[in-house]
């Protein structure tokens, strides 16, 4: 890793150079009833809108690499014999959809399948906190590391430039417990604010060349110490903790613990926790035929294990009809199954799920209650 | 345009469809006419033999009957039974047809004669307690919403024509609201029925900074117990919550339970 420092005032130049691409970063969306600012990730056109002092965004940035809704493919049916058209003829819809990747001859007539990964321009994620960078690293393992990498995600990831930014731990943040409070890979550039200076960690050559274009230099030993001091201050700010020692085993032992039912009674089966989570990637697929019968599409929607019909199988049987069994599986996936598969938890401790849950179900409390089960 | 369609080379029957209205604002039917872009496709998929909002002719030959509105008069009961006899599939269109809708608000007054006098004064009309279609006839399919969402009806009609299974979302509005990255109304100090209401509207109201009023009725697993705690924790009065739950009739059973418990507590 290379380290650099530059004056805080130079950041706007960095932003402007990068703004040739689409920049997504934290912006203020409004205020809650107590006057606290509410933040979310959005496309940023003006440096002044970028709020690098943000606490935590309500939603993660996943809509930009794992959208809530995404068409996996669209179909156009064109059949000389009239498929999708009027019975007396007519060849297709005349809309001239491009002959895209995956287009095929469908046998008796023509049908085309069009696949669009939804990547039209490179994306800059500007200002991700370590938890969200680590979330991307975890998603990479699942979605790119397996035997069948997900091209929709992969294309977006391949066209991404990531600028990380140091955070101010909030009372609900427990990334430190999850080992995700600092990012050691998965970014191009990571900026730590030290009063009037930015301490930059440089991981990619693109980031290196970018810094050559602004007023930037090597840090001296005093600045190294200032950086370490910043880290120590951050460490001291964490309030929420999750005891993860032997957690996979404890979860196995406490599979039938009565506390799960208590949490299940509170749960609204609303899926909010999964929607705001930077690492929840479960989804469902629906097929739609347009009313003109000339077009169809397969739509992927992010889903949640907390939703009533998550475990409904063909024939209609629901393996998890009770809310506590579903809620439990969200925890088992994050804190047990994933650990067994990848030797790390799928939860990065960002605290978003607990912050958004109207039933006030938070990870630290759920895990603590399970650990305390008798 | 009137020729039969094919789908993947297989001919698709073009069912005869009738639209009917009982006591309602006819807003749901108007929704269907709203989107000119898809109206022609709609008309080529089904043969509309009856649609007061859109045509003069009216025929009694139909396979699918879309019935909007709730039952509030004896003659409406008769009409509805008549429709049931003729149609192969009866679809309750909109929240009035599904749960009674806004009309059923009058049911909470015990003295219907008084209501009649207040509303109609010296022009009395026959009116009885408001009922959803399912209280009178067997309903095959319900399309929720006040008003209905046109895209949803189009999806359902396409599925009916193609003989596909029809699924309603099983999750509450919050799921769609989060996908639209809205600020939660509760964070703004406002009540919202999104956590217990069946989705499908794409979080229409919260996306416009209005709390959900539950027009689509309860999600199949609606945690009303927890909803009451959520409201109470945030200082939203029970009356305010009940006002919302009562508005469209979908939560009538829950509201009755709450009232019984309230009485018992006295
Ligand atoms: S844990 Fe909370 S956010 Fe998640 S489904 Fe249950 S009530 Fe909704
Ligand atoms: S489970 Fe909750 S705390 Fe963990 S990563 Fe997801 S949203 Fe963040
Ligand atoms: S605004 Fe309403 S629908 Fe949206 S998340 Fe909040 S409670 Fe749910
Ligand atoms: S948000 Fe609620 S009230 Fe509004 S349309 Fe949807 S279900 Fe109806």
């Amino acid at each position: 890793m290379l380290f650099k420092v530059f004056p805080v005032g130079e950041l706007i130049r960095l932003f402007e150079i990068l703004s040739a691409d689409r920049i997504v970063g934290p912006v203020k969306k409004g205020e809650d009833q107590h006057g606290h600012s509410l933040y979310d990730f959005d496309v940023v056109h003006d440096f002044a809108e970028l709020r690098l002092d943000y606490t935590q965004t309500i939603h993660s940035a996943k809509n930009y690499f794992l959208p809530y809704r995404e068409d996996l493919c669209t179909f156009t049916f064109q059949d000389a014999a009239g498929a999708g058209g009027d019975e007396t003829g007519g060849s297709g819809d005349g809309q001239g959809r491009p002959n895209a990747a995956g287009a095929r001859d469908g046998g008796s007539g023509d049908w085309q399948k069009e696949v669009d990964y939804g990547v039209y321009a490179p994306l800059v994620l500007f200002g991700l906190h370590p938890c969200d960078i680590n979330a991307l690293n975890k998603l990479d393992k699942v979605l790119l590391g397996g035997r069948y990498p997900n091209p929709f995600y992969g294309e977006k990831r391949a066209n991404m430039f990531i600028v990380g930014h140091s955070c101010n731990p909030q009372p609900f943040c427990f990334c430190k417990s999850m080992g995700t409070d600092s990012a050691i890979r998965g970014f191009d550039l990571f900026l730590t604010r030290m009063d009037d200076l930015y301490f930059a960690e440089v991981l990619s050559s693109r980031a290196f060349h970018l810094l050559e274009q602004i007023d930037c230099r090597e840090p001296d030993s005093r600045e190294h110490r200032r950086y370490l001091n910043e880290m120590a201050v951050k460490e001291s700010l964490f309030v929420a903790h999750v005891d993860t020692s032997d957690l996979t085993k404890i979860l196995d032992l406490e599979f039938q613990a009565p506390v799960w039912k208590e949490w299940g009674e509170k749960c609204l089966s609303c899926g909010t926790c999964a929607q705001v989570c930077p690492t929840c990637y479960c989804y469902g697929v629906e097929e739609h035929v347009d009313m003109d019968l000339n077009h169809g599409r397969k739509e992927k929607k992010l889903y949640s294990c907390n939703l009533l019909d998550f475990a409904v199988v063909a024939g209609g049987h629901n393996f998890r009809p009770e809310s506590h069994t579903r809620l439990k599986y969200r925890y088992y996936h994050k804190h047990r199954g994933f650990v067994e598969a990848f030797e790390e938890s799928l939860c990065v401790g960002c605290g978003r799920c607990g912050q958004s849950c109207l039933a006030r179900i938070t990870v630290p409390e759920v895990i603590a209650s399970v650990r305390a089960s008798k | 345009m009137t020729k039969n369609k094919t789908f993947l080379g297989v001919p698709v029957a073009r069912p005869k469809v009738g639209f009917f209205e009982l006591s309602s604002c006819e807003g749901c039917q108007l929704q269907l006419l709203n989107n000119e872009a898809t109206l022609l496709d709609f008309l080529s998929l089904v043969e509309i033999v009856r649609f007061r909002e859109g045509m003069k002719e009216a025929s009694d030959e139909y396979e699918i009957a879309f019935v909007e509105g709730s039952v509030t008069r004896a003659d409406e009961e008769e009409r509805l039974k008549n429709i049931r006899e003729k149609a192969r599939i009866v679809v309750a269109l909109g929240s009035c047809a599904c749960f009674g809708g806004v009309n059923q608000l009058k049911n909470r007054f015990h003295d219907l004669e008084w209501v009649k006098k207040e509303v109609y004064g010296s022009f009395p009309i026959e009116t009885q307690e408001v009922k959803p279609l399912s209280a009178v006839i067997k309903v095959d399919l319900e399309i929720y919403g006040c008003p209905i969402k046109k895209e949803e009806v189009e999806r359902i009609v396409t599925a009916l024509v193609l003989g596909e299974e029809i699924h309603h979302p099983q999750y509450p509005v919050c799921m769609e609201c989060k996908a639209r990255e809205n600020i939660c109304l509760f964070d703004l100090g406002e009540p919202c029925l999104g956590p217990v209401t069946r989705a499908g509207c794409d979080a229409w109201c919260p996306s416009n900074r209005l709390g959900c009023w539950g027009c689509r009725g309860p999600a199949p697993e609606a945690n009303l117990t927890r909803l009451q705690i959520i409201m109470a924790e945030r200082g939203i009065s029970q009356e305010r919550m009940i006002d919302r739950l009562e508005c469209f009739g979908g939560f009538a059973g829950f509201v009755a339970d709450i009232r019984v418990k309230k009485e018992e507590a006295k």
Side-chain angles (χ1 to χ4, degrees):
Chain A
M1 181 123 35
L2 280 176
F3 301 110
K4 299 273 182 187
V5 284
F6 61 85
V8 164
E10 282 297 286
L11 190 66
I12 185 164
R13 286 183 58 196
L14 202 68
F15 180 91
E16 272 157 13
I17 298 164
L18 284 169
S19 63
D21 295 331
R22 193 163 73 128
I23 298 184
V24 164
V27 297
K28 182 171 163 174
K29 286 287 173 173
E31 284 178 3
D32 72 9
Q33 56 175 325
H34 307 295
H36 300 305
S37 297
L38 300 168
Y39 302 98
D40 250 331
F41 290 105
D42 207 340
V43 178
V44 189
H45 300 287
D46 181 356
F47 181 71
E49 289 169 24
L50 191 67
R51 290 295 298 268
L52 295 171
D53 61 338
Y54 73 109
T55 48
Q56 178 66 294
T57 55
I58 301 172
H59 302 81
S60 76
K62 78 176 163 188
N63 203 23
Y64 297 94
F65 39 83
L66 204 60
Y68 301 105
R69 297 163 207 193
E70 181 169 41
D71 280 343
L72 296 179
C73 57
T74 52
F75 296 96
T76 308
F77 312 116
Q78 300 181 317
D79 186 337
D86 296 339
E87 223 163 24
T88 46
S91 54
D93 62 352
Q95 286 179 12
R97 296 203 172 188
N99 195 17
R104 271 198 289 168
D105 183 8
S108 65
D110 285 333
W111 56 273
Q112 287 185 335
K113 176 177 160 188
E114 199 179 313
V115 177
D116 180 351
Y117 296 144
V119 183
Y120 307 110
L123 179 72
V124 178
L125 287 177
F126 204 115
L128 289 192
H129 286 163
C131 54
D132 285 339
I133 293 172
N134 282 305
L136 274 166
N137 290 339
K138 289 174 197 284
L139 286 179
D140 286 354
K141 291 193 176 171
V142 188
L143 300 174
L144 301 179
R147 188 159 174 178
Y148 302 104
N150 177 335
F152 293 84
Y153 176 79
E155 285 288 302
K156 293 184 189 77
R157 286 291 279 133
N159 289 287
M160 212 180 259
F161 185 84
I162 295 179
V163 182
H165 194 281
S166 54
C167 60
N168 324 296
Q170 299 299 303
F172 50 82
C173 293
F174 58 97
C175 54
K176 193 164 147 45
S177 304
M178 309 315 295
T180 49
D181 52 325
S182 82
I184 50 171
R185 55 190 175 79
F187 56 85
D188 293 273
L189 188 63
F190 194 97
L191 307 174
T192 299
R193 177 88 188 242
M194 309 193 302
D195 299 327
D196 54 335
L197 277 187
Y198 267 119
F199 188 91
E201 298 165 52
V202 187
L203 267 194
S204 72
S205 62
R206 191 174 163 206
F208 180 80
H209 292 303
L210 190 68
L211 289 183
E212 284 180 333
Q213 300 174 57
I214 66 167
D215 176 15
C216 183
R217 58 174 172 81
E218 304 283 323
D220 58 26
S221 61
R222 204 174 51 90
E223 282 150 358
H224 285 176
R225 275 199 306 281
R226 263 176 85 185
Y227 170 73
L228 292 175
N229 190 42
E230 285 294 332
M231 293 296 101
V233 170
K234 178 185 154 182
E235 290 275 288
S236 70
L237 292 174
F238 285 101
V239 185
H241 299 284
V242 168
D243 181 357
T244 58
S245 49
D246 286 326
L247 187 55
T248 53
K249 293 169 200 169
I250 289 169
L251 285 171
D252 269 350
L253 292 168
E254 300 299 345
F255 192 76
Q256 304 289 3
V259 282
W260 290 117
K261 282 213 166 110
E262 290 166 26
W263 292 112
E265 272 168 30
K266 294 183 179 166
C267 179
L268 300 152
S269 303
C270 70
T272 287
C273 45
Q275 294 287 64
V276 301
C277 175
T279 63
C280 273
Y281 54 79
C282 291
Y283 64 93
V285 176
E286 284 172 15
E287 290 175 357
H288 304 279
V289 179
D290 284 4
M291 257 202 319
D292 62 8
L293 306 188
N294 275 328
H295 302 99
R297 62 194 174 91
K298 261 188 213 275
E299 187 189 31
K300 173 187 166 193
K301 275 187 188 172
L302 293 190
Y303 223 68
S304 163
C305 44
N306 290 72
L307 303 181
L308 176 61
D309 57 350
F310 185 82
V312 173
V313 291
H317 182 70
N318 189 352
F319 280 97
R320 292 174 209 152
E322 294 162 297
S323 89
H324 71 92
T325 58
R326 298 192 297 272
L327 178 127
K328 178 159 71 181
Y329 269 94
R330 184 153 185 277
Y331 284 83
Y332 275 72
H333 184 196
K334 295 277 185 214
H335 298 274
R336 179 185 163 276
F338 201 83
V339 186
E340 287 184 349
F342 295 99
E343 293 180 5
E344 58 183 85
S345 167
L346 184 58
C347 171
V348 295
C350 71
R352 288 188 180 95
C353 56
Q355 283 303 103
S356 281
C357 175
L358 291 166
R360 302 200 202 278
I361 299 172
T362 72
V363 177
E365 282 182 74
V366 171
I367 301 285
S369 74
V370 174
R371 295 192 77 102
S373 281
K374 300 221 176 60
Chain B
M1 205 186 75
T2 50
K3 303 220 174 55
N4 275 359
K5 291 220 153 197
T6 60
F7 179 61
L8 297 173
V10 180
V12 172
R14 186 160 166 254
K16 289 192 167 73
V17 168
F19 286 85
F20 303 86
E21 56 287 317
L22 305 180
S23 293
S24 65
C25 68
E26 299 188 25
C28 285
Q29 290 183 59
L30 270 185
Q31 278 291 103
L32 290 178
L33 297 177
N34 255 345
N35 186 355
E36 284 91 2
T38 52
L39 193 57
L40 285 182
D41 286 329
F42 189 76
L43 294 175
S44 67
L45 210 53
V46 294
E47 183 184 341
I48 298 186
V49 299
R50 203 182 175 111
F51 196 164
R52 204 169 70 96
E53 287 285 350
M55 63 196 269
K56 284 204 203 89
E57 307 79 12
S59 152
D60 270 340
E61 297 289 314
Y62 45 82
E63 295 166 68
I64 307 176
F66 287 87
V67 186
E68 182 190 323
S70 57
V71 182
T72 62
R73 294 195 314 258
D75 64 302
E76 288 181 334
E77 284 202 38
E78 287 317 305
R79 265 185 78 204
L80 187 57
K81 285 178 188 158
N82 202 336
I83 293 167
R84 174 73 271 184
E85 269 168 31
K86 295 210 172 77
R88 188 166 58 86
I89 298 171
V90 175
V91 184
L93 186 66
S95 295
C96 292
C98 296
F99 325 113
V102 177
N103 303 335
Q104 53 75 47
L105 275 176
K106 78 169 181 190
N107 291 359
R108 66 170 150 174
F109 298 101
H110 298 301
D111 184 357
L112 280 185
E113 286 307 313
W114 175 84
V115 175
K116 233 189 266 182
K117 228 175 124 224
E118 283 295 303
V119 178
Y120 299 106
S122 51
F123 304 96
I125 59 155
E126 192 231 317
T127 161
Q128 59 193 27
E129 187 159 270
V130 174
K131 289 182 234 168
L133 306 191
S134 58
V136 180
I137 57 157
K138 177 176 161 282
V139 172
D140 302 296
L141 185 64
E142 293 183 313
I143 301 183
Y144 310 103
C146 180
I148 50 150
K149 195 94 181 160
K150 185 180 159 79
E151 297 75 22
E152 195 179 29
V153 182
E154 292 178 347
R155 182 175 59 79
I156 287 173
V157 168
T158 310
L160 275 176
V161 168
L162 296 179
E164 290 173 349
E165 253 185 74
I166 289 153
H167 296 283
H168 286 298
Q170 301 287 295
Y171 44 81
V173 176
C174 291
M175 185 74 187
E176 294 176 337
C177 189
K178 289 293 167 207
R180 297 190 63 169
E181 300 203 334
N182 296 322
I183 292 176
C184 180
L185 269 299
F186 283 105
D187 282 337
L188 302 175
E190 291 292 319
C192 181
L193 296 187
V196 293
T197 301
R198 186 193 290 276
C201 61
D202 208 12
W204 209 341
C205 299
S207 302
N208 291 290
R209 291 249 169 148
L210 293 167
C212 170
W213 280 75
C215 80
R216 303 172 72 87
E221 189 161 281
N223 192 341
L224 268 290
T225 313
R226 192 67 203 179
L227 182 78
Q228 293 180 65
I229 298 172
I230 290 170
M231 297 276 184
E233 279 174 347
R234 288 158 179 82
I236 294 158
S237 74
Q238 197 181 45
E239 271 316 306
R240 219 172 146 200
M241 178 190 70
I242 290 177
D243 271 352
R244 277 195 186 223
L245 286 169
E246 264 182 339
C247 190
F248 293 98
F251 293 91
F254 295 109
V255 176
D257 280 353
I258 296 173
R259 289 214 192 280
V260 167
K261 288 208 183 95
K262 236 177 135 179
E263 281 304 311
E264 283 171 2
K266 269 190 196 160

